[in-house]
PDB file of all heavy atoms in Angstrom:
ATOM      1  N   GLU A   1      51.558  -5.612 -16.508  1.00 81.00           N
ATOM      2  CA  GLU A   1      52.369  -5.318 -15.328  1.00 81.00           C
ATOM      3  C   GLU A   1      52.323  -3.834 -14.983  1.00 81.00           C
ATOM      4  O   GLU A   1      52.335  -3.453 -13.807  1.00 81.00           O
ATOM      5  CB  GLU A   1      53.813  -5.762 -15.586  1.00 81.00           C
ATOM      6  CG  GLU A   1      53.992  -7.277 -15.606  1.00 81.00           C
ATOM      7  CD  GLU A   1      55.416  -7.673 -15.937  1.00 81.00           C
ATOM      8  OE1 GLU A   1      56.173  -6.780 -16.379  1.00 81.00           O
ATOM      9  OE2 GLU A   1      55.773  -8.856 -15.757  1.00 81.00           O
ATOM     10  N   SER A   2      52.252  -3.008 -16.011  1.00 86.00           N
ATOM     11  CA  SER A   2      52.132  -1.564 -15.763  1.00 86.00           C
ATOM     12  C   SER A   2      50.809  -1.231 -15.075  1.00 86.00           C
ATOM     13  O   SER A   2      50.763  -0.395 -14.154  1.00 86.00           O
ATOM     14  CB  SER A   2      52.263  -0.805 -17.079  1.00 86.00           C
ATOM     15  OG  SER A   2      52.093   0.577 -16.892  1.00 86.00           O
ATOM     16  N   LYS A   3      49.737  -1.901 -15.487  1.00 85.00           N
ATOM     17  CA  LYS A   3      48.443  -1.672 -14.834  1.00 85.00           C
ATOM     18  C   LYS A   3      48.477  -2.128 -13.377  1.00 85.00           C
ATOM     19  O   LYS A   3      47.924  -1.468 -12.491  1.00 85.00           O
ATOM     20  CB  LYS A   3      47.346  -2.423 -15.591  1.00 85.00           C
ATOM     21  CG  LYS A   3      47.045  -1.837 -16.970  1.00 85.00           C
ATOM     22  CD  LYS A   3      45.945  -2.633 -17.657  1.00 85.00           C
ATOM     23  CE  LYS A   3      45.638  -2.045 -19.043  1.00 85.00           C
ATOM     24  NZ  LYS A   3      44.563  -2.809 -19.730  1.00 85.00           N
ATOM     25  N   ILE A   4      49.125  -3.276 -13.133  1.00 85.00           N
ATOM     26  CA  ILE A   4      49.241  -3.761 -11.747  1.00 85.00           C
ATOM     27  C   ILE A   4      50.026  -2.766 -10.900  1.00 85.00           C
ATOM     28  O   ILE A   4      49.658  -2.475  -9.752  1.00 85.00           O
ATOM     29  CB  ILE A   4      49.910  -5.147 -11.734  1.00 85.00           C
ATOM     30  CG1 ILE A   4      48.963  -6.193 -12.337  1.00 85.00           C
ATOM     31  CG2 ILE A   4      50.275  -5.560 -10.316  1.00 85.00           C
ATOM     32  CD1 ILE A   4      49.574  -7.572 -12.477  1.00 85.00           C
ATOM     33  N   ASP A   5      51.112  -2.246 -11.451  1.00 88.00           N
ATOM     34  CA  ASP A   5      51.905  -1.255 -10.716  1.00 88.00           C
ATOM     35  C   ASP A   5      51.068  -0.005 -10.414  1.00 88.00           C
ATOM     36  O   ASP A   5      51.190   0.592  -9.326  1.00 88.00           O
ATOM     37  CB  ASP A   5      53.147  -0.871 -11.523  1.00 88.00           C
ATOM     38  CG  ASP A   5      54.134  -2.017 -11.634  1.00 88.00           C
ATOM     39  OD1 ASP A   5      54.069  -2.938 -10.791  1.00 88.00           O
ATOM     40  OD2 ASP A   5      54.958  -2.006 -12.582  1.00 88.00           O
ATOM     41  N   THR A   6      50.211   0.368 -11.366  1.00 88.00           N
ATOM     42  CA  THR A   6      49.350   1.542 -11.140  1.00 88.00           C
ATOM     43  C   THR A   6      48.365   1.286 -10.006  1.00 88.00           C
ATOM     44  O   THR A   6      48.152   2.152  -9.131  1.00 88.00           O
ATOM     45  CB  THR A   6      48.595   1.890 -12.429  1.00 88.00           C
ATOM     46  OG1 THR A   6      49.543   2.138 -13.473  1.00 88.00           O
ATOM     47  CG2 THR A   6      47.712   3.117 -12.246  1.00 88.00           C
ATOM     48  N   LEU A   7      47.768   0.101  -9.989  1.00 86.00           N
ATOM     49  CA  LEU A   7      46.831  -0.240  -8.915  1.00 86.00           C
ATOM     50  C   LEU A   7      47.534  -0.298  -7.566  1.00 86.00           C
ATOM     51  O   LEU A   7      47.006   0.186  -6.548  1.00 86.00           O
ATOM     52  CB  LEU A   7      46.147  -1.575  -9.224  1.00 86.00           C
ATOM     53  CG  LEU A   7      45.210  -1.593 -10.444  1.00 86.00           C
ATOM     54  CD1 LEU A   7      44.748  -3.010 -10.742  1.00 86.00           C
ATOM     55  CD2 LEU A   7      44.005  -0.677 -10.217  1.00 86.00           C
ATOM     56  N   LYS A   8      48.728  -0.877  -7.546  1.00 87.00           N
ATOM     57  CA  LYS A   8      49.470  -0.949  -6.286  1.00 87.00           C
ATOM     58  C   LYS A   8      49.895   0.446  -5.826  1.00 87.00           C
ATOM     59  O   LYS A   8      49.892   0.746  -4.622  1.00 87.00           O
ATOM     60  CB  LYS A   8      50.692  -1.838  -6.451  1.00 87.00           C
ATOM     61  CG  LYS A   8      50.349  -3.310  -6.595  1.00 87.00           C
ATOM     62  CD  LYS A   8      51.614  -4.162  -6.729  1.00 87.00           C
ATOM     63  CE  LYS A   8      51.275  -5.650  -6.812  1.00 87.00           C
ATOM     64  NZ  LYS A   8      52.491  -6.481  -6.935  1.00 87.00           N
ATOM     65  N   ALA A   9      50.251   1.289  -6.784  1.00 89.00           N
ATOM     66  CA  ALA A   9      50.640   2.658  -6.428  1.00 89.00           C
ATOM     67  C   ALA A   9      49.449   3.433  -5.866  1.00 89.00           C
ATOM     68  O   ALA A   9      49.593   4.255  -4.944  1.00 89.00           O
ATOM     69  CB  ALA A   9      51.211   3.365  -7.657  1.00 89.00           C
ATOM     70  N   GLU A  10      48.252   3.145  -6.412  1.00 86.00           N
ATOM     71  CA  GLU A  10      47.053   3.811  -5.897  1.00 86.00           C
ATOM     72  C   GLU A  10      46.793   3.412  -4.451  1.00 86.00           C
ATOM     73  O   GLU A  10      46.497   4.259  -3.588  1.00 86.00           O
ATOM     74  CB  GLU A  10      45.856   3.444  -6.777  1.00 86.00           C
ATOM     75  CG  GLU A  10      44.567   4.143  -6.381  1.00 86.00           C
ATOM     76  CD  GLU A  10      43.412   3.736  -7.277  1.00 86.00           C
ATOM     77  OE1 GLU A  10      43.633   2.917  -8.201  1.00 86.00           O
ATOM     78  OE2 GLU A  10      42.285   4.213  -7.056  1.00 86.00           O
ATOM     79  N   VAL A  11      46.943   2.130  -4.153  1.00 85.00           N
ATOM     80  CA  VAL A  11      46.753   1.660  -2.782  1.00 85.00           C
ATOM     81  C   VAL A  11      47.823   2.239  -1.877  1.00 85.00           C
ATOM     82  O   VAL A  11      47.545   2.688  -0.741  1.00 85.00           O
ATOM     83  CB  VAL A  11      46.779   0.123  -2.745  1.00 85.00           C
ATOM     84  CG1 VAL A  11      46.746  -0.370  -1.301  1.00 85.00           C
ATOM     85  CG2 VAL A  11      45.588  -0.437  -3.519  1.00 85.00           C
ATOM     86  N   ALA A  12      49.086   2.251  -2.344  1.00 88.00           N
ATOM     87  CA  ALA A  12      50.184   2.791  -1.534  1.00 88.00           C
ATOM     88  C   ALA A  12      49.979   4.276  -1.256  1.00 88.00           C
ATOM     89  O   ALA A  12      50.253   4.755  -0.131  1.00 88.00           O
ATOM     90  CB  ALA A  12      51.512   2.549  -2.255  1.00 88.00           C
ATOM     91  N   SER A  13      49.471   4.992  -2.252  1.00 87.00           N
ATOM     92  CA  SER A  13      49.229   6.420  -2.057  1.00 87.00           C
ATOM     93  C   SER A  13      48.154   6.658  -1.001  1.00 87.00           C
ATOM     94  O   SER A  13      48.282   7.544  -0.129  1.00 87.00           O
ATOM     95  CB  SER A  13      48.820   7.063  -3.385  1.00 87.00           C
ATOM     96  OG  SER A  13      48.494   8.422  -3.217  1.00 87.00           O
ATOM     97  N   PHE A  14      47.081   5.846  -1.055  1.00 84.00           N
ATOM     98  CA  PHE A  14      46.019   6.025  -0.060  1.00 84.00           C
ATOM     99  C   PHE A  14      46.487   5.559   1.318  1.00 84.00           C
ATOM    100  O   PHE A  14      46.028   6.086   2.339  1.00 84.00           O
ATOM    101  CB  PHE A  14      44.767   5.256  -0.481  1.00 84.00           C
ATOM    102  CG  PHE A  14      43.516   5.811   0.111  1.00 84.00           C
ATOM    103  CD1 PHE A  14      42.849   6.880  -0.480  1.00 84.00           C
ATOM    104  CD2 PHE A  14      43.007   5.299   1.309  1.00 84.00           C
ATOM    105  CE1 PHE A  14      41.688   7.404   0.088  1.00 84.00           C
ATOM    106  CE2 PHE A  14      41.856   5.828   1.876  1.00 84.00           C
ATOM    107  CZ  PHE A  14      41.187   6.885   1.258  1.00 84.00           C
ATOM    108  N   GLU A  15      47.400   4.573   1.353  1.00 85.00           N
ATOM    109  CA  GLU A  15      47.957   4.166   2.640  1.00 85.00           C
ATOM    110  C   GLU A  15      48.755   5.299   3.266  1.00 85.00           C
ATOM    111  O   GLU A  15      48.702   5.509   4.493  1.00 85.00           O
ATOM    112  CB  GLU A  15      48.852   2.936   2.452  1.00 85.00           C
ATOM    113  CG  GLU A  15      48.081   1.653   2.241  1.00 85.00           C
ATOM    114  CD  GLU A  15      49.009   0.464   2.049  1.00 85.00           C
ATOM    115  OE1 GLU A  15      50.238   0.701   1.868  1.00 85.00           O
ATOM    116  OE2 GLU A  15      48.525  -0.676   2.060  1.00 85.00           O
ATOM    117  N   MET A  16      49.469   6.028   2.451  1.00 88.00           N
ATOM    118  CA  MET A  16      50.215   7.172   2.963  1.00 88.00           C
ATOM    119  C   MET A  16      49.257   8.223   3.535  1.00 88.00           C
ATOM    120  O   MET A  16      49.516   8.827   4.590  1.00 88.00           O
ATOM    121  CB  MET A  16      51.063   7.790   1.849  1.00 88.00           C
ATOM    122  CG  MET A  16      52.215   6.910   1.395  1.00 88.00           C
ATOM    123  SD  MET A  16      53.123   7.611   0.001  1.00 88.00           S
ATOM    124  CE  MET A  16      53.720   9.114   0.765  1.00 88.00           C
ATOM    125  N   PHE A  17      48.103   8.416   2.856  1.00 83.00           N
ATOM    126  CA  PHE A  17      47.106   9.367   3.343  1.00 83.00           C
ATOM    127  C   PHE A  17      46.526   8.879   4.673  1.00 83.00           C
ATOM    128  O   PHE A  17      46.367   9.654   5.627  1.00 83.00           O
ATOM    129  CB  PHE A  17      46.000   9.533   2.304  1.00 83.00           C
ATOM    130  CG  PHE A  17      44.872  10.396   2.755  1.00 83.00           C
ATOM    131  CD1 PHE A  17      45.020  11.773   2.911  1.00 83.00           C
ATOM    132  CD2 PHE A  17      43.625   9.844   3.055  1.00 83.00           C
ATOM    133  CE1 PHE A  17      43.958  12.564   3.351  1.00 83.00           C
ATOM    134  CE2 PHE A  17      42.569  10.632   3.489  1.00 83.00           C
ATOM    135  CZ  PHE A  17      42.739  11.993   3.638  1.00 83.00           C
ATOM    136  N   ARG A  18      46.253   7.546   4.758  1.00 82.00           N
ATOM    137  CA  ARG A  18      45.737   6.992   6.004  1.00 82.00           C
ATOM    138  C   ARG A  18      46.754   7.119   7.123  1.00 82.00           C
ATOM    139  O   ARG A  18      46.411   7.472   8.270  1.00 82.00           O
ATOM    140  CB  ARG A  18      45.372   5.518   5.772  1.00 82.00           C
ATOM    141  CG  ARG A  18      44.580   4.826   6.922  1.00 82.00           C
ATOM    142  CD  ARG A  18      45.469   4.316   8.039  1.00 82.00           C
ATOM    143  NE  ARG A  18      46.663   3.646   7.592  1.00 82.00           N
ATOM    144  CZ  ARG A  18      46.732   2.326   7.362  1.00 82.00           C
ATOM    145  NH1 ARG A  18      45.689   1.576   7.553  1.00 82.00           N
ATOM    146  NH2 ARG A  18      47.890   1.790   6.970  1.00 82.00           N
ATOM    147  N   ASP A  19      48.044   6.879   6.817  1.00 84.00           N
ATOM    148  CA  ASP A  19      49.093   7.000   7.836  1.00 84.00           C
ATOM    149  C   ASP A  19      49.226   8.452   8.322  1.00 84.00           C
ATOM    150  O   ASP A  19      49.494   8.704   9.511  1.00 84.00           O
ATOM    151  CB  ASP A  19      50.421   6.514   7.262  1.00 84.00           C
ATOM    152  CG  ASP A  19      50.401   5.016   6.980  1.00 84.00           C
ATOM    153  OD1 ASP A  19      49.559   4.305   7.546  1.00 84.00           O
ATOM    154  OD2 ASP A  19      51.250   4.555   6.168  1.00 84.00           O
ATOM    155  N   GLN A  20      49.023   9.358   7.399  1.00 83.00           N
ATOM    156  CA  GLN A  20      49.077  10.768   7.787  1.00 83.00           C
ATOM    157  C   GLN A  20      47.955  11.109   8.764  1.00 83.00           C
ATOM    158  O   GLN A  20      48.160  11.805   9.763  1.00 83.00           O
ATOM    159  CB  GLN A  20      49.009  11.667   6.555  1.00 83.00           C
ATOM    160  CG  GLN A  20      49.119  13.152   6.869  1.00 83.00           C
ATOM    161  CD  GLN A  20      49.015  14.011   5.613  1.00 83.00           C
ATOM    162  OE1 GLN A  20      48.929  13.499   4.505  1.00 83.00           O
ATOM    163  NE2 GLN A  20      49.014  15.335   5.807  1.00 83.00           N
ATOM    164  N   LEU A  21      46.742  10.584   8.480  1.00 77.00           N
ATOM    165  CA  LEU A  21      45.618  10.804   9.395  1.00 77.00           C
ATOM    166  C   LEU A  21      45.880  10.135  10.747  1.00 77.00           C
ATOM    167  O   LEU A  21      45.499  10.667  11.798  1.00 77.00           O
ATOM    168  CB  LEU A  21      44.329  10.264   8.776  1.00 77.00           C
ATOM    169  CG  LEU A  21      43.793  11.011   7.541  1.00 77.00           C
ATOM    170  CD1 LEU A  21      42.548  10.319   7.006  1.00 77.00           C
ATOM    171  CD2 LEU A  21      43.490  12.472   7.879  1.00 77.00           C
ATOM    172  N   GLN A  22      46.539   8.966  10.698  1.00 79.00           N
ATOM    173  CA  GLN A  22      46.873   8.276  11.946  1.00 79.00           C
ATOM    174  C   GLN A  22      47.838   9.113  12.780  1.00 79.00           C
ATOM    175  O   GLN A  22      47.682   9.235  14.001  1.00 79.00           O
ATOM    176  CB  GLN A  22      47.496   6.912  11.622  1.00 79.00           C
ATOM    177  CG  GLN A  22      47.854   6.090  12.858  1.00 79.00           C
ATOM    178  CD  GLN A  22      46.640   5.582  13.610  1.00 79.00           C
ATOM    179  OE1 GLN A  22      45.702   5.065  13.019  1.00 79.00           O
ATOM    180  NE2 GLN A  22      46.620   5.776  14.944  1.00 79.00           N
ATOM    181  N   GLU A  23      48.802   9.712  12.147  1.00 78.00           N
ATOM    182  CA  GLU A  23      49.756  10.560  12.872  1.00 78.00           C
ATOM    183  C   GLU A  23      49.064  11.794  13.472  1.00 78.00           C
ATOM    184  O   GLU A  23      49.347  12.193  14.613  1.00 78.00           O
ATOM    185  CB  GLU A  23      50.875  10.998  11.915  1.00 78.00           C
ATOM    186  CG  GLU A  23      51.811   9.873  11.504  1.00 78.00           C
ATOM    187  CD  GLU A  23      52.840  10.334  10.503  1.00 78.00           C
ATOM    188  OE1 GLU A  23      52.801  11.538  10.129  1.00 78.00           O
ATOM    189  OE2 GLU A  23      53.673   9.503  10.082  1.00 78.00           O
ATOM    190  N   GLU A  24      48.157  12.388  12.687  1.00 74.00           N
ATOM    191  CA  GLU A  24      47.432  13.566  13.197  1.00 74.00           C
ATOM    192  C   GLU A  24      46.541  13.176  14.380  1.00 74.00           C
ATOM    193  O   GLU A  24      46.436  13.922  15.374  1.00 74.00           O
ATOM    194  CB  GLU A  24      46.594  14.190  12.084  1.00 74.00           C
ATOM    195  CG  GLU A  24      47.423  14.824  10.988  1.00 74.00           C
ATOM    196  CD  GLU A  24      46.546  15.380   9.881  1.00 74.00           C
ATOM    197  OE1 GLU A  24      45.295  15.271   9.980  1.00 74.00           O
ATOM    198  OE2 GLU A  24      47.104  15.920   8.891  1.00 74.00           O
ATOM    199  N   TYR A  25      45.907  12.010  14.296  1.00 72.00           N
ATOM    200  CA  TYR A  25      45.040  11.543  15.389  1.00 72.00           C
ATOM    201  C   TYR A  25      45.862  11.298  16.643  1.00 72.00           C
ATOM    202  O   TYR A  25      45.477  11.701  17.755  1.00 72.00           O
ATOM    203  CB  TYR A  25      44.305  10.297  14.942  1.00 72.00           C
ATOM    204  CG  TYR A  25      43.540   9.629  16.054  1.00 72.00           C
ATOM    205  CD1 TYR A  25      42.428  10.263  16.643  1.00 72.00           C
ATOM    206  CD2 TYR A  25      43.926   8.375  16.534  1.00 72.00           C
ATOM    207  CE1 TYR A  25      41.729   9.648  17.670  1.00 72.00           C
ATOM    208  CE2 TYR A  25      43.223   7.756  17.554  1.00 72.00           C
ATOM    209  CZ  TYR A  25      42.124   8.400  18.127  1.00 72.00           C
ATOM    210  OH  TYR A  25      41.433   7.801  19.161  1.00 72.00           O
ATOM    211  N   ASP A  26      47.027  10.659  16.474  1.00 74.00           N
ATOM    212  CA  ASP A  26      47.883  10.404  17.636  1.00 74.00           C
ATOM    213  C   ASP A  26      48.407  11.708  18.240  1.00 74.00           C
ATOM    214  O   ASP A  26      48.480  11.860  19.476  1.00 74.00           O
ATOM    215  CB  ASP A  26      49.057   9.510  17.223  1.00 74.00           C
ATOM    216  CG  ASP A  26      48.598   8.111  16.839  1.00 74.00           C
ATOM    217  OD1 ASP A  26      47.513   7.696  17.276  1.00 74.00           O
ATOM    218  OD2 ASP A  26      49.351   7.431  16.088  1.00 74.00           O
ATOM    219  N   ALA A  27      48.767  12.642  17.370  1.00 72.00           N
ATOM    220  CA  ALA A  27      49.254  13.933  17.866  1.00 72.00           C
ATOM    221  C   ALA A  27      48.173  14.686  18.620  1.00 72.00           C
ATOM    222  O   ALA A  27      48.430  15.335  19.642  1.00 72.00           O
ATOM    223  CB  ALA A  27      49.788  14.757  16.699  1.00 72.00           C
ATOM    224  N   GLU A  28      46.928  14.573  18.121  1.00 69.00           N
ATOM    225  CA  GLU A  28      45.809  15.262  18.768  1.00 69.00           C
ATOM    226  C   GLU A  28      45.538  14.641  20.136  1.00 69.00           C
ATOM    227  O   GLU A  28      45.243  15.354  21.123  1.00 69.00           O
ATOM    228  CB  GLU A  28      44.573  15.185  17.876  1.00 69.00           C
ATOM    229  CG  GLU A  28      43.389  15.991  18.388  1.00 69.00           C
ATOM    230  CD  GLU A  28      43.648  17.488  18.304  1.00 69.00           C
ATOM    231  OE1 GLU A  28      44.327  17.946  17.350  1.00 69.00           O
ATOM    232  OE2 GLU A  28      43.216  18.191  19.218  1.00 69.00           O
ATOM    233  N   ARG A  29      45.625  13.351  20.266  1.00 68.00           N
ATOM    234  CA  ARG A  29      45.365  12.696  21.547  1.00 68.00           C
ATOM    235  C   ARG A  29      46.431  13.042  22.575  1.00 68.00           C
ATOM    236  O   ARG A  29      46.133  13.225  23.754  1.00 68.00           O
ATOM    237  CB  ARG A  29      45.312  11.181  21.360  1.00 68.00           C
ATOM    238  CG  ARG A  29      44.026  10.676  20.728  1.00 68.00           C
ATOM    239  CD  ARG A  29      43.970   9.170  20.828  1.00 68.00           C
ATOM    240  NE  ARG A  29      45.128   8.527  20.220  1.00 68.00           N
ATOM    241  CZ  ARG A  29      45.514   7.297  20.481  1.00 68.00           C
ATOM    242  NH1 ARG A  29      44.861   6.585  21.385  1.00 68.00           N
ATOM    243  NH2 ARG A  29      46.568   6.795  19.871  1.00 68.00           N
ATOM    244  N   PHE A  30      47.679  13.066  22.124  1.00 67.00           N
ATOM    245  CA  PHE A  30      48.769  13.295  23.079  1.00 67.00           C
ATOM    246  C   PHE A  30      49.113  14.774  23.238  1.00 67.00           C
ATOM    247  O   PHE A  30      50.069  15.114  23.927  1.00 67.00           O
ATOM    248  CB  PHE A  30      50.017  12.518  22.662  1.00 67.00           C
ATOM    249  CG  PHE A  30      49.809  11.032  22.695  1.00 67.00           C
ATOM    250  CD1 PHE A  30      49.804  10.286  21.536  1.00 67.00           C
ATOM    251  CD2 PHE A  30      49.596  10.379  23.909  1.00 67.00           C
ATOM    252  CE1 PHE A  30      49.616   8.918  21.566  1.00 67.00           C
ATOM    253  CE2 PHE A  30      49.410   9.011  23.940  1.00 67.00           C
ATOM    254  CZ  PHE A  30      49.411   8.267  22.773  1.00 67.00           C
ATOM    255  N   GLY A  31      48.351  15.664  22.612  1.00 64.00           N
ATOM    256  CA  GLY A  31      48.521  17.100  22.803  1.00 64.00           C
ATOM    257  C   GLY A  31      49.717  17.692  22.120  1.00 64.00           C
ATOM    258  O   GLY A  31      50.263  18.703  22.602  1.00 64.00           O
ATOM    259  N   GLU A  32      50.153  17.123  21.013  1.00 66.00           N
ATOM    260  CA  GLU A  32      51.242  17.712  20.249  1.00 66.00           C
ATOM    261  C   GLU A  32      50.698  18.842  19.382  1.00 66.00           C
ATOM    262  O   GLU A  32      49.742  18.646  18.628  1.00 66.00           O
ATOM    263  CB  GLU A  32      51.928  16.651  19.374  1.00 66.00           C
ATOM    264  CG  GLU A  32      52.609  15.564  20.184  1.00 66.00           C
ATOM    265  CD  GLU A  32      53.259  14.538  19.280  1.00 66.00           C
ATOM    266  OE1 GLU A  32      53.283  14.749  18.034  1.00 66.00           O
ATOM    267  OE2 GLU A  32      53.764  13.505  19.794  1.00 66.00           O
ATOM    268  N   LYS A  33      51.312  19.990  19.498  1.00 67.00           N
ATOM    269  CA  LYS A  33      50.842  21.170  18.772  1.00 67.00           C
ATOM    270  C   LYS A  33      51.485  21.202  17.387  1.00 67.00           C
ATOM    271  O   LYS A  33      52.703  21.267  17.224  1.00 67.00           O
ATOM    272  CB  LYS A  33      51.223  22.438  19.542  1.00 67.00           C
ATOM    273  CG  LYS A  33      50.784  23.746  18.875  1.00 67.00           C
ATOM    274  CD  LYS A  33      49.270  23.838  18.764  1.00 67.00           C
ATOM    275  CE  LYS A  33      48.883  25.195  18.146  1.00 67.00           C
ATOM    276  NZ  LYS A  33      47.437  25.317  17.944  1.00 67.00           N
ATOM    277  N   THR A  34      50.642  21.113  16.323  1.00 66.00           N
ATOM    278  CA  THR A  34      51.088  21.231  14.931  1.00 66.00           C
ATOM    279  C   THR A  34      50.141  22.144  14.198  1.00 66.00           C
ATOM    280  O   THR A  34      49.169  22.667  14.767  1.00 66.00           O
ATOM    281  CB  THR A  34      51.112  19.848  14.245  1.00 66.00           C
ATOM    282  OG1 THR A  34      49.788  19.332  14.183  1.00 66.00           O
ATOM    283  CG2 THR A  34      52.032  18.876  14.996  1.00 66.00           C
ATOM    284  N   SER A  35      50.401  22.311  12.895  1.00 61.00           N
ATOM    285  CA  SER A  35      49.529  23.171  12.097  1.00 61.00           C
ATOM    286  C   SER A  35      48.156  22.559  11.911  1.00 61.00           C
ATOM    287  O   SER A  35      47.200  23.259  11.564  1.00 61.00           O
ATOM    288  CB  SER A  35      50.159  23.456  10.739  1.00 61.00           C
ATOM    289  OG  SER A  35      50.356  22.239  10.035  1.00 61.00           O
ATOM    290  N   ARG A  36      48.021  21.245  12.135  1.00 65.00           N
ATOM    291  CA  ARG A  36      46.745  20.571  11.904  1.00 65.00           C
ATOM    292  C   ARG A  36      46.153  20.014  13.194  1.00 65.00           C
ATOM    293  O   ARG A  36      45.140  19.313  13.161  1.00 65.00           O
ATOM    294  CB  ARG A  36      46.920  19.434  10.890  1.00 65.00           C
ATOM    295  CG  ARG A  36      47.428  19.925   9.541  1.00 65.00           C
ATOM    296  CD  ARG A  36      47.575  18.781   8.572  1.00 65.00           C
ATOM    297  NE  ARG A  36      46.313  18.205   8.245  1.00 65.00           N
ATOM    298  CZ  ARG A  36      45.491  18.610   7.261  1.00 65.00           C
ATOM    299  NH1 ARG A  36      45.839  19.660   6.508  1.00 65.00           N
ATOM    300  NH2 ARG A  36      44.344  18.021   7.024  1.00 65.00           N
ATOM    301  N   THR A  37      46.804  20.245  14.346  1.00 63.00           N
ATOM    302  CA  THR A  37      46.285  19.768  15.636  1.00 63.00           C
ATOM    303  C   THR A  37      46.183  20.959  16.605  1.00 63.00           C
ATOM    304  O   THR A  37      46.897  21.974  16.460  1.00 63.00           O
ATOM    305  CB  THR A  37      47.204  18.702  16.228  1.00 63.00           C
ATOM    306  OG1 THR A  37      48.513  19.247  16.397  1.00 63.00           O
ATOM    307  CG2 THR A  37      47.281  17.492  15.320  1.00 63.00           C
ATOM    308  N   SER A  38      45.288  20.759  17.653  1.00 62.00           N
ATOM    309  CA  SER A  38      45.024  21.841  18.613  1.00 62.00           C
ATOM    310  C   SER A  38      46.024  21.878  19.755  1.00 62.00           C
ATOM    311  O   SER A  38      46.169  22.882  20.448  1.00 62.00           O
ATOM    312  CB  SER A  38      43.611  21.686  19.183  1.00 62.00           C
ATOM    313  OG  SER A  38      43.502  20.455  19.889  1.00 62.00           O
ATOM    314  N   GLY A  39      46.682  20.770  20.022  1.00 64.00           N
ATOM    315  CA  GLY A  39      47.636  20.709  21.125  1.00 64.00           C
ATOM    316  C   GLY A  39      46.991  20.396  22.469  1.00 64.00           C
ATOM    317  O   GLY A  39      47.647  20.475  23.505  1.00 64.00           O
ATOM    318  N   ILE A  40      45.695  20.063  22.470  1.00 66.00           N
ATOM    319  CA  ILE A  40      44.971  19.740  23.715  1.00 66.00           C
ATOM    320  C   ILE A  40      45.058  18.232  23.925  1.00 66.00           C
ATOM    321  O   ILE A  40      44.699  17.444  23.037  1.00 66.00           O
ATOM    322  CB  ILE A  40      43.504  20.197  23.648  1.00 66.00           C
ATOM    323  CG1 ILE A  40      43.445  21.706  23.401  1.00 66.00           C
ATOM    324  CG2 ILE A  40      42.765  19.818  24.919  1.00 66.00           C
ATOM    325  CD1 ILE A  40      42.039  22.223  23.165  1.00 66.00           C
ATOM    326  N   VAL A  41      45.479  17.811  25.119  1.00 64.00           N
ATOM    327  CA  VAL A  41      45.616  16.388  25.435  1.00 64.00           C
ATOM    328  C   VAL A  41      44.247  15.810  25.719  1.00 64.00           C
ATOM    329  O   VAL A  41      43.397  16.447  26.360  1.00 64.00           O
ATOM    330  CB  VAL A  41      46.540  16.190  26.653  1.00 64.00           C
ATOM    331  CG1 VAL A  41      46.676  14.710  26.982  1.00 64.00           C
ATOM    332  CG2 VAL A  41      47.899  16.819  26.395  1.00 64.00           C
ATOM    333  N   GLY A  42      44.044  14.562  25.232  1.00 61.00           N
ATOM    334  CA  GLY A  42      42.808  13.862  25.518  1.00 61.00           C
ATOM    335  C   GLY A  42      41.929  13.729  24.302  1.00 61.00           C
ATOM    336  O   GLY A  42      42.213  14.261  23.220  1.00 61.00           O
TER     337      GLY A  42
END
């Protein structure tokens, strides 16, 4: 069960990384200015 929890935690951690990239992509498209986006719409 501990190994299963580790595997699930690994997937959950990478999902958080993917969600972070999704937020940055959405911010970049809609022109939101952050430390990781340019603030240019489109």
